[in-house]
Amino acid sequence: MLQGIREARAAGEPVALATIVGVTGSAYRREGTRMLVRQDGSYTCMLSGGCLEPEIVEVARQVMQSGQPVRTEYNLDEEVMWGLGIGCGGAVEVYIEPLRDEPVTNRWLQALEQGETAVLATPLEPGLGRLFLSEAASEGALSDPGLEAQVRSTAHQLLTALQPRALTHVLRAGDGRAVPVFFDVNLPPAELLIFGAGHDAIPLSRMAVEFGFKVQVVDMRDKFAIPSRFPGAQVRLLRPERFAQALEVGPRTFVLVMNHNLLIDQSALTFVLQTPAPYIGLLGPRSRFTKIVDKLAKEGTPLTPEQIRRIRSPVGIAIGAESPEEVALSILAEIMALRRGYPAGFLNGLEGRIHEPAGAAR
């Protein structure tokens, strides 16, 4: 999409951006999904399985001609949606706007290009302005100071959440009227830090890269810490005493310890427990974790109850995994569920929305 925007701007061609800003019931994609539409009717990315795109293209052409954004709702019920048998049973609200060359939009596109943590707040009523906010700066303003204060407060909550979602919030303007504001959220890729470059780390690293993680693999053995074994990942040859100096672990860094060596695993756990990592997993049976806990206690550096609770052992989702590839799938499923606030249970028989995590940042 970003490449398409660059090419259109270089050619001086108008484009429109269609964004899902609301979902009721079931739909193929969630809030924040974007689609770029060109004047000739071609488009990049999709908002559905192909059923909505022709209609959105036509509306986008009108938007490019008029220069005015349009907010429209599409019913996905199979009896309503042109008899195509889509059968989602929900509806999506789409905001279609001309992509203008102006400071707030450009700052948002820059954040997308650079993988910056940022929020773009768009009141879905005309004439109120637009606001970009990142962890360090802001751009733009809203014409209603009271509304802007609420937008900034909501954006701050999103910026500090582990896995915030793009959503529309209904806020109150200064005159008391309800104003829907769409908060689009951009996050840098989640990080996966793997301690241990053994054979079973290879499928874990490969799958994580495919899922969009920024992967680091750390090992002290030069026969294992070979970049060619882990395509797409950064491979670090480090001894435990250098972990604190060489590794940066933040609040969105997921950690898996799988050295297959108790002493090195102990060193890795001791290090990451001093960081804000939201996930610390230890490969192996619970008895192995108990040995490490007991050894630390005997050495006079016992783990606190809170530290013990932070370490997930055994690691992964219970799917009967046996092969390294199956274990990798189990681990990444657990990380994805925790990252997005889902219980990781079966969907069979679930009533209501399947994309509704418990306690998710809204």
Side-chain angles (χ1 to χ4, degrees), residues 128-265:
L128 290 174
R130 206 171 202 180
L131 194 61
F132 167 91
L133 299 107
S134 70
E135 294 174 320
S138 67
E139 182 78 44
L142 301 185
S143 58
D144 187 309
L147 183 63
E148 180 171 327
Q150 295 174 69
V151 166
R152 288 183 177 273
S153 176
T154 302
H156 176 73
Q157 296 175 34
L158 292 169
L159 288 170
T160 55
L162 174 62
Q163 186 67 21
R165 296 186 299 157
L167 281 178
T168 295
H169 296 260
V170 178
L171 304 176
R172 291 288 173 183
D175 59 7
R177 76 182 189 280
V179 177
V181 180
F182 178 63
F183 292 82
D184 204 350
V185 181
N186 187 64
L187 296 175
E191 299 175 356
L192 178 63
L193 176 58
I194 304 172
F195 287 94
H199 176 70
D200 51 355
I202 294 175
L204 177 63
S205 173
R206 183 184 69 249
M207 289 184 190
V209 169
E210 291 173 352
F211 291 169
F213 284 84
K214 179 181 178 182
V215 179
Q216 281 194 84
V217 181
V218 176
D219 205 302
M220 61 181 289
R221 301 165 294 181
D222 56 7
K223 292 183 179 180
F224 288 84
I226 301 172
S228 61
R229 299 178 72 229
F230 300 94
Q234 182 183 16
V235 180
R236 309 287 298 276
L237 183 64
L238 293 173
R239 296 189 63 82
E241 56 267 25
R242 292 197 57 219
F243 288 167
Q245 177 186 1
L247 297 174
E248 183 175 345
V249 179
R252 293 193 176 100
T253 304
F254 297 81
V255 178
L256 188 68
V257 178
M258 50 189 303
N259 292 286
H260 300 287
N261 181 295
L262 281 177
L263 289 177
I264 302 176
D265 281 352

Side-chain angles (χ1 to χ4, degrees), residues 5-340:
I5 292 172
R6 287 192 294 267
E7 292 173 353
R9 286 187 164 182
E13 298 175 355
V15 289
L17 191 65
T19 305
I20 295 179
V21 298
V23 174
T24 303
S26 298
Y28 283 102
R29 301 299 305 273
R30 313 311 302 170
E31 293 90 342
T33 305
R34 312 177 190 100
M35 170 180 165
L36 182 72
V37 183
R38 301 172 186 83
Q39 200 170 33
D40 63 3
S42 62
Y43 56 86
T44 300
C45 302
M46 302 175 71
L47 302 187
S48 71
C51 50
L52 295 180
E53 283 68 20
E55 174 67 17
I56 290 173
V57 165
E58 291 307 312
V59 177
R61 281 173 157 172
Q62 298 171 23
V63 164
M64 283 183 271
Q65 185 175 5
S66 68
Q68 298 301 314
V70 170
R71 179 164 50 122
T72 185
E73 185 174 286
Y74 297 94
N75 193 321
L76 302 180
D77 185 271
E78 63 178 299
E79 299 299 327
V80 176
M81 198 68 180
W82 310 305
L84 295 178
I86 296 166
C88 290
V92 295
E93 190 174 11
V94 181
Y95 187 72
I96 306 171
E97 59 183 312
L99 194 66
R100 297 187 174 93
D101 185 1
E102 51 88 25
V104 176
T105 298
N106 292 341
R107 185 65 183 86
W108 173 244
L109 294 177
Q110 181 185 26
L112 297 182
E113 291 272 12
Q114 297 177 353
E116 181 182 1
T117 303
V119 172
L120 179 65
T122 304
L124 299 180
E125 289 187 3
L128 290 174
R130 206 171 202 180
L131 194 61
F132 167 91
L133 299 107
S134 70
E135 294 174 320
S138 67
E139 182 78 44
L142 301 185
S143 58
D144 187 309
L147 183 63
E148 180 171 327
Q150 295 174 69
V151 166
R152 288 183 177 273
S153 176
T154 302
H156 176 73
Q157 296 175 34
L158 292 169
L159 288 170
T160 55
L162 174 62
Q163 186 67 21
R165 296 186 299 157
L167 281 178
T168 295
H169 296 260
V170 178
L171 304 176
R172 291 288 173 183
D175 59 7
R177 76 182 189 280
V179 177
V181 180
F182 178 63
F183 292 82
D184 204 350
V185 181
N186 187 64
L187 296 175
E191 299 175 356
L192 178 63
L193 176 58
I194 304 172
F195 287 94
H199 176 70
D200 51 355
I202 294 175
L204 177 63
S205 173
R206 183 184 69 249
M207 289 184 190
V209 169
E210 291 173 352
F211 291 169
F213 284 84
K214 179 181 178 182
V215 179
Q216 281 194 84
V217 181
V218 176
D219 205 302
M220 61 181 289
R221 301 165 294 181
D222 56 7
K223 292 183 179 180
F224 288 84
I226 301 172
S228 61
R229 299 178 72 229
F230 300 94
Q234 182 183 16
V235 180
R236 309 287 298 276
L237 183 64
L238 293 173
R239 296 189 63 82
E241 56 267 25
R242 292 197 57 219
F243 288 167
Q245 177 186 1
L247 297 174
E248 183 175 345
V249 179
R252 293 193 176 100
T253 304
F254 297 81
V255 178
L256 188 68
V257 178
M258 50 189 303
N259 292 286
H260 300 287
N261 181 295
L262 281 177
L263 289 177
I264 302 176
D265 281 352
Q266 178 180 318
S267 297
L269 289 174
T270 301
F271 162 65
V272 295
L273 283 170
Q274 309 306 314
T275 73
Y279 174 97
I280 301 171
L282 175 65
L283 189 69
R286 186 70 179 182
S287 59
R288 194 167 184 277
F289 173 51
T290 301
K291 288 181 181 179
I292 293 176
V293 172
D294 291 343
K295 188 172 185 301
L296 286 169
K298 290 177 182 179
E299 293 175 353
T301 56
L303 298 181
T304 67
E306 174 59 28
Q307 288 176 319
I308 291 175
R309 284 193 293 270
R310 289 185 65 193
I311 301 172
R312 305 188 69 85
S313 173
V315 70
I317 299 295
I319 59 173
E322 296 182 1
S323 69
E325 290 76 13
E326 292 173 348
V327 171
L329 175 64
S330 170
I331 292 169
L332 288 172
E334 180 181 49
I335 290 175
M336 185 175 295
L338 290 172
R339 178 185 172 200
R340 296 181 176 175

